[in-house]
Amino acid sequence: MKAKREASLVGPDERKLQPKLRVVANGSAEVNAVRAQFSSSVCLAPGSRYLDDEAPLFPPLVRRNQLPRGVSRGKLTQLAPDVLASIFIETADVSDEASRRLMLGQRARRGNLITAEIPVTELPAMLGDESVTWVEVGESLVVPPPMISAAGPAAPKTARRVAGQQHHHGGSGVLIGIIDVNGFDFAHPDFLDGNGDTRFVRIWDQGGDARPSPHEQEAAVFSTEFGYGSELRAEHLNAALAAAPAVHVAPQDIEPQSQMEPASHGTHVASIAAGNYGVCPQALIAGVLISLPPEDRARRRSFYDSTRIAHAVDYLTALATSMRVPLSINISLGTNGHAHDGSSAISRWIDSALSVPGRCVSVAAGNAGQEVAAFPGDLGFVMGRIHSARRLPARDLDTLLEWVVVGNGRVDISENELELWYSPQDRLAVSVRPPGGDWIGPVEPLQFIENQRLADGSFVSVYNELYHPANGANTISLYLSPFLNPAGVIGIPSGTWAVRLHAREVRDGRFHAWIERDDPRRLGRIGEREAWSFPSYFTQGSNVDSSSVSSLACGNSVIAVANLDEATERINITSSQGPTRDGRFKPDVAGPGTEIVAANGFGEPDEPWIAMTGTSMASPYVAGVAGLMLATEPGLTAAQIGGIIQRTARPLPGADFTWLTDAGFGRIDPVACVAEARIVNRRDDRTP
């Protein structure tokens, strides 16, 4: 068939738009109202009629022939009003005037990258600006789901203290920044000092409204990109701690956050890095709470994508600069979109932030390492089969990938995306076949199909792009979209989707494909079936058990951390594997991440501790070690910290010093890291 588009209103400059953003732009207001519940980078403007409590939260699940008459995808006549997208803008004009012209809504800038919240109706005007070279929505954030122990454990037997106190002083004089979700339990005993005050100096709740925003409270330090959310400062938190006993409420109720979930992910992570039992027990702590509303209706109003990570990094670096202290940041969140080569907008943003000495960012590698079931009934492989790769040997040869959308009484009403990246030397075409359906395509290079409706009423979009502006590589994007309408929802056809790649010209032949994963989330029961946002995955035959590290952890300057099971001295089966698409060594190092006992945030008073497993637990351990290194030598650069960690890492039993796909350069050695940090930039410690 001939590749075509069915509707496009973004104008002649639409190739400046990332395909995912084209899908959003060419959706109706009704479609985007439902999409906003699932998409982290789409929300509804205040005053939208779809924010009313009477607006349907989840429309009924129907078949195509059950829809009311007159309800169809149809042709769009205007861009959707009341719909906002959170985007990265790449511009060739770095002048202040260009920034003022392009920076709409909450915004920030690093070099030629700008973040903005833009009404979809403003896209044509933005694309007409000659300085704009590329626009993409923020990448979806994934919380690597930790495994939680059933029973509340006792307190950690020993603190995570590291020898060399006389040099690192427990991280005194260092700021540990935690970017996370679920809330920070500042009143937990693991964060209280000898006077009963909290060691949290700031909590920026990006989705909160209990206090003014950072910019409103201290404009001289925090610029306008921090003009949203709520900033809880140390004086607020300590006042709540002092007042709570008299009014017989918890301090967290006096200074609330938008998320205060029992067994809070963010609290557990902060406890590992910098709690009183943590690696840096004397460090200052600052938390940034990414807005991830627990209620589905609230998600229509909220952004929780990678632009928010960019703002969080800038907030923490501005705070550390104002306090004149070095900074170690932990991010136990991930992204799975883009090329896994450090070229994504958020990776370049963080790399820019790390160009200044005295800063480090550690990122969880991800929990997508499991390929097969470890025991009967184990479904861990569903979260693991996200990557495929092949090498086409010659032109006129095809290869087939199998992509599974779940069924078995469930229906997936979230959008599913597969991204394929290959060498600019080659030319590939692509065809796709729904379960039990006919082939669609081939879609040749520079062709696309947008919103092609299938027999059941759902949609397929395919984009075959050349020379991506971020890395010069070629990319193919496939989107499986449900029919989203307040009158009814038609889910993605379940079963095995076939993706066929046709080799038109081969010089290199290698390609990688990743599925942008959904977190499993039950959305309610509709009739006899359950509606889910659920991860699709590759079949075992198509999956390639490597290069599954989160794309956020593929950044050039970050430290990507794998999950070490200390009891077995092996890497946990769920820990994601490298290398990056461009062959770099990620993960860098392994940290203890299995059955880690730390603070149970917002839990019952008689259960203050909880054990969790995941790279989310391993990464803050490494962030804490980086904090000790910065306390020892505040002028270390992120590159030096990474080099020291690589140099001092200890191979696991049976391995040598060679980098391994699952363990990186081995287990982190905190004592050796601190000792090595002492000799950097100190000539008097060197022998002649």
Side-chain angles (χ1 to χ4, degrees):
M1 64 159 289
K2 183 179 179 181
K4 63 177 182 178
R5 61 184 176 196
E6 292 200 349
S8 184
L9 296 174
V10 291
D13 297 306
E14 64 184 10
R15 289 206 177 273
K16 293 181 180 180
L17 286 182
Q18 174 196 38
K20 188 186 301 184
L21 187 50
R22 291 192 222 170
V23 171
V24 173
N26 289 319
S28 67
E30 292 80 9
V31 166
N32 280 312
V34 183
R35 175 180 281 132
Q37 294 172 199
F38 313 115
S39 174
S40 60
S41 55
V42 177
C43 83
L44 301 181
S48 170
R49 60 192 173 101
Y50 296 105
L51 292 176
D52 295 340
D53 290 339
E54 295 181 1
L57 182 60
F58 294 112
L61 188 67
V62 298
R63 300 181 188 277
R64 184 175 185 177
N65 60 8
Q66 295 173 324
L67 287 170
R69 291 191 58 151
V71 175
S72 64
R73 174 64 173 80
K75 299 287 186 179
L76 295 178
T77 58
Q78 63 175 356
L79 291 169
D82 301 337
V83 176
L84 305 178
S86 181
I87 61 174
F88 286 99
I89 306 166
E90 189 169 314
T91 173
D93 185 348
V94 296
S95 68
D96 291 339
E97 191 279 328
S99 295
R100 286 190 296 270
R101 186 174 67 248
L102 297 173
M103 292 167 70
L104 306 173
Q106 306 299 339
R107 68 273 193 190
R109 173 180 165 181
R110 277 196 175 272
N112 72 328
L113 286 175
I114 295 172
T115 69
E117 296 174 11
I118 181 172
V120 169
T121 51
E122 297 290 333
L123 280 173
M126 173 173 287
L127 297 179
D129 192 303
E130 293 183 355
S131 70
V132 173
T133 58
W134 182 247
V135 184
E136 64 183 63
V137 293
E139 295 178 45
S140 298
L141 295 180
V142 176
V143 182
M147 294 181 286
I148 301 176
S149 298
K157 294 180 180 179
T158 58
R160 300 176 182 88
R161 302 292 164 82
V162 175
Q165 173 75 18
Q166 70 275 23
H167 301 299
H168 60 67
H169 305 290
S172 178
V174 170
L175 180 64
I176 300 293
I178 307 294
I179 303 172
D180 222 294
V181 295
N182 298 152
F184 299 105
D185 189 350
F186 64 88
H188 192 284
D190 204 33
F191 303 117
L192 301 181
D193 64 17
N195 298 319
D197 290 335
T198 185
R199 290 175 43 230
F200 274 90
V201 295
R202 296 284 194 282
I203 297 174
W204 180 24
D205 180 0
Q206 291 187 343
D209 57 9
R211 289 277 179 181
S213 71
H215 175 69
E216 291 172 299
Q217 297 195 63
E218 199 168 356
V221 175
F222 302 118
S223 55
T224 54
E225 60 259 36
F226 309 130
Y228 66 97
S230 171
E231 185 187 45
L232 310 181
R233 303 164 73 97
E235 55 266 31
H236 306 146
L237 306 178
N238 289 327
L241 285 164
V247 295
H248 305 290
V249 298
Q252 305 93 323
D253 293 328
I254 298 175
E255 291 290 345
Q257 299 161 55
S258 60
Q259 305 163 59
M260 296 190 291
E261 298 294 312
S264 159
H265 191 272
T267 299
H268 197 267
V269 165
S271 174
I272 295 167
N276 295 331
Y277 282 88
V279 182
C280 278
Q282 300 301 317
L284 305 167
I285 310 172
V288 179
L289 184 58
I290 302 296
S291 179
L292 185 65
E295 301 85 10
D296 291 294
R297 191 179 300 280
R299 294 192 182 199
R300 293 185 178 187
R301 310 171 186 264
S302 178
F303 290 124
Y304 44 97
D305 61 280
S306 58
T307 66
R308 272 29 191 177
I309 294 286
H311 293 180
V313 168
D314 281 7
Y315 170 84
L316 291 169
T317 55
L319 179 62
T321 298
S322 70
M323 298 175 67
R324 299 185 178 181
V325 294
L327 170 67
S328 177
I329 296 175
N330 182 77
I331 308 176
S332 285
L333 308 170
T335 58
N336 212 44
H338 218 273
H340 291 68
D341 61 3
S343 66
S344 68
I346 184 58
S347 289
R348 287 183 285 149
W349 193 287
I350 294 175
D351 284 346
S352 176
L354 292 178
S355 63
V356 176
R359 298 175 183 174
C360 181
V361 174
S362 302
V363 180
N367 299 337
Q370 186 173 347
E371 183 180 16
V372 296
F375 50 85
D378 177 25
L379 296 178
F381 68 87
V382 170
M383 303 303 292
R385 293 182 190 166
I386 64 168
H387 172 248
S388 187
R390 298 282 191 278
R391 185 162 196 165
L392 295 166
R395 65 180 302 165
D396 297 328
L397 297 178
D398 295 350
T399 191
L400 194 68
L401 304 179
E402 293 181 321
W403 181 14
V404 179
V405 174
V406 297
N408 299 327
R410 300 186 181 99
V411 60
D412 190 353
I413 63 173
S414 60
E415 292 185 296
N416 290 265
E417 176 185 356
L418 186 153
E419 288 187 9
L420 185 145
W421 296 81
Y422 67 100
S423 169
Q425 295 177 290
D426 299 334
R427 294 292 181 268
L428 304 181
V430 60
S431 301
V432 60
R433 183 179 63 193
D438 298 325
W439 285 103
I440 300 170
V443 180
E444 303 292 339
L446 294 179
Q447 291 184 338
F448 66 94
I449 296 171
E450 189 167 89
N451 291 327
Q452 177 167 327
R453 192 163 191 175
L454 303 180
D456 73 314
S458 63
F459 300 92
V460 171
S461 299
V462 183
Y463 300 84
N464 195 340
E465 306 283 313
L466 301 180
Y467 308 121
H468 192 282
N471 57 15
N474 299 335
T475 180
I476 295 172
S477 303
L478 296 93
Y479 299 91
L480 312 181
S481 301
F483 178 86
L484 303 176
N485 191 285
V489 170
I490 298 171
I492 306 296
S494 61
T496 300
W497 291 67
V499 178
R500 173 168 286 160
L501 298 175
H502 313 274
R504 301 304 195 213
E505 185 174 354
V506 174
R507 298 179 183 177
D508 177 83
R510 291 173 293 182
F511 70 85
H512 291 264
W514 288 274
I515 296 169
E516 185 159 355
R517 186 183 62 197
D518 296 315
D519 279 335
R521 183 160 62 99
R522 186 178 183 272
L523 303 176
R525 192 168 190 87
I526 304 175
E528 298 180 352
R529 304 184 73 187
E530 288 187 341
W532 280 75
S533 170
F534 205 85
S536 54
Y537 57 93
F538 287 116
T539 62
Q540 186 174 356
S542 293
N543 185 70
V544 173
D545 201 23
S546 65
S547 299
S548 56
V549 167
S550 156
S551 59
L552 187 64
C554 290
N556 289 284
S557 300
V558 304
I559 299 172
V561 186
N563 173 6
L564 171 67
D565 184 341
E566 290 186 292
T568 63
E569 296 188 89
R570 300 174 65 181
I571 299 300
N572 191 286
I573 188 176
T574 63
S575 189
S576 293
Q577 302 166 13
T580 64
R581 187 184 71 88
D582 55 336
R584 287 178 296 111
F585 294 151
K586 300 289 179 181
D588 298 272
V589 72
T594 301
E595 287 293 313
I596 303 300
V597 177
N600 180 14
F602 310 105
E604 296 297 328
D606 59 345
E607 293 185 354
W609 309 100
I610 190 169
M612 296 187 184
T613 295
T615 56
S616 288
M617 288 63 253
S619 184
Y621 185 92
V622 172
V625 174
L628 298 181
M629 296 166 69
L630 287 168
T632 303
E633 176 48 63
L636 290 173
T637 66
Q640 288 175 315
I641 292 172
I644 290 171
I645 288 175
Q646 175 179 330
R647 158 72 178 174
T648 57
R650 302 301 181 196
L652 299 183
D656 57 21
F657 289 99
T658 304
W659 178 86
L660 299 175
T661 60
D662 59 350
F665 287 99
R667 174 178 183 163
I668 192 168
D669 186 334
V671 174
C673 284
V674 171
E676 198 75 3
R678 290 183 60 221
I679 70 171
V680 177
N681 297 331
R682 299 194 180 188
R683 296 182 180 179
D684 55 333
D685 285 349
R686 302 174 188 170
T687 57

